[in-house]
Each structure stands twice: as structure tokens, then as C-alpha cells.
Amino acid sequence: MWHETKDRRRVLHDGGIGSDSKMKQIEVVAAIIHDEKERIFATQRGYGDFKDGWEFPGGKMEPGETPEEALMREIWEELETRIRVERLVQTVEWDYPAFHLTMHCYLCHVESGHLELKEHEAAKWLRKEELESVNWLPADEVVVKRLGEGSIKDTE
């Protein structure tokens, strides 16, 4: 459901902004990696316009990949870790100044590996009450708010 804001932007019910058809479109996948203690793995970007912002790890889908395949590839490339993708939690639509982001967020857990940082500056395991302790990128913040409302298991 769309709502119009004072500045005439269209806001999705999940907090994202409606896309301008002239804007560059980027589709990505993100891993909400959790452990047996219901902590969430957060990473801090080490490059680009959003350097130092916190995010769920992941990246762009390649042609012909399913979202799950893309997520497993991206996490291997970024963290040298094999994950098991459990389920889709939320798809966020968000307008950044230079592009429109579609981000498919999946609940995952580590199958093997040690979450070794290859592209990120830092990483943290955060408990539910610590989720707001880092400066999340805007699209990721939508998911953080949802995770903060209940248990990891309750995000279906």
C-alpha cells in the first residue's frame, strides 16, 4: 500500500519510497545471518558512497541466478562462509539519491566457515536489544525495525 508524503514521494507500507521510473534500478540480496543465541550478524561497509554504514551482508544478483544462489555466492565472496538460506523475511524498496534499491532479505545461518571479512571494515554479532547501536543504512534500517519487534523466529 502506498502513502503520499508532504514532499509528494510515495512511501510503501514497509517504509521504502516508491520508485521513480527514470532512476537507476538495483536489485540485491541480503543475509540476515543469525546464530543459536538469536544474535544477528551486521557488517560495516569499507568502500563506496555508503562507507562506514552498517548493513546486512550480500550483494547484486547475477543474470540467471536465483536470489538464494546469489546470496550464497555473495556471502562466500565477502565472508568466505557457506550459509544455509532459510526463508525470505522481507523485500525492501528504497530510493537512495542516485538509485532505487530492491533488497530481498533472507534469514540464514552459518553452515561452515568463520565469517572472515574480505570487503567490510568491521562486523558485530548483535542481540535484539543492540540492533539500534550501529548506524544502519536506510534500507537495512527498515528490516532492523521489523527484527526489533519480535523474535527472529517470528519474522514470517
Side-chain angles (χ1 to χ4, degrees):
M1 186 165 148
W2 294 95
H3 302 282
E4 193 164 305
T5 63
K6 290 178 185 175
D7 63 350
R8 300 199 134 335
R9 296 177 76 179
R10 296 185 320 150
V11 180
L12 283 173
H13 69 280
D14 68 0
I17 305 295
S19 173
D20 177 344
S21 62
K22 298 172 190 157
M23 201 175 247
K24 179 179 177 181
Q25 307 285 314
I26 297 177
E27 186 172 17
V28 300
V29 289
I32 304 168
I33 301 172
H34 70 98
D35 66 8
E36 66 283 346
K37 299 175 187 172
E38 287 202 19
R39 296 180 304 171
I40 299 292
F41 189 71
T43 54
Q44 186 177 33
R45 288 181 66 91
Y47 59 91
D49 292 340
F50 300 102
K51 183 181 180 328
D52 296 328
W54 288 81
E55 66 181 355
F56 297 107
K60 293 180 185 172
M61 295 172 54
E62 299 290 339
E65 280 184 320
T66 66
E68 294 86 351
E69 290 167 341
L71 197 51
M72 290 186 287
R73 176 187 52 75
E74 284 286 345
I75 298 305
W76 176 253
E77 290 173 2
E78 291 182 7
L79 300 166
E80 280 193 15
T81 299
R82 300 278 181 218
I83 58 167
R84 169 143 318 175
V85 179
E86 296 174 24
R87 62 182 165 74
L88 178 67
V89 170
Q90 183 172 13
T91 295
V92 176
E93 302 283 344
W94 195 269
D95 279 346
Y96 283 100
F99 61 92
H100 175 78
L101 180 73
T102 299
M103 182 172 68
H104 307 288
C105 303
Y106 287 84
L107 193 63
C108 307
H109 66 268
V110 172
E111 211 166 49
S112 66
H114 301 288
L115 297 166
E116 184 178 331
L117 300 181
K118 297 292 186 185
E119 297 180 16
H120 294 91
E121 223 169 77
K124 292 182 180 186
W125 282 102
L126 300 170
R127 294 185 314 269
K128 178 181 165 181
E129 60 273 10
E130 299 172 318
L131 287 173
E132 299 288 339
S133 69
V134 298
N135 186 25
W136 293 95
L137 295 177
D140 294 77
E141 199 170 304
V142 172
V143 182
V144 168
K145 286 182 179 156
R146 180 168 181 184
L147 292 172
E149 292 171 359
S151 141
I152 299 299
K153 311 281 189 250
D154 296 336
T155 56
E156 294 188 61

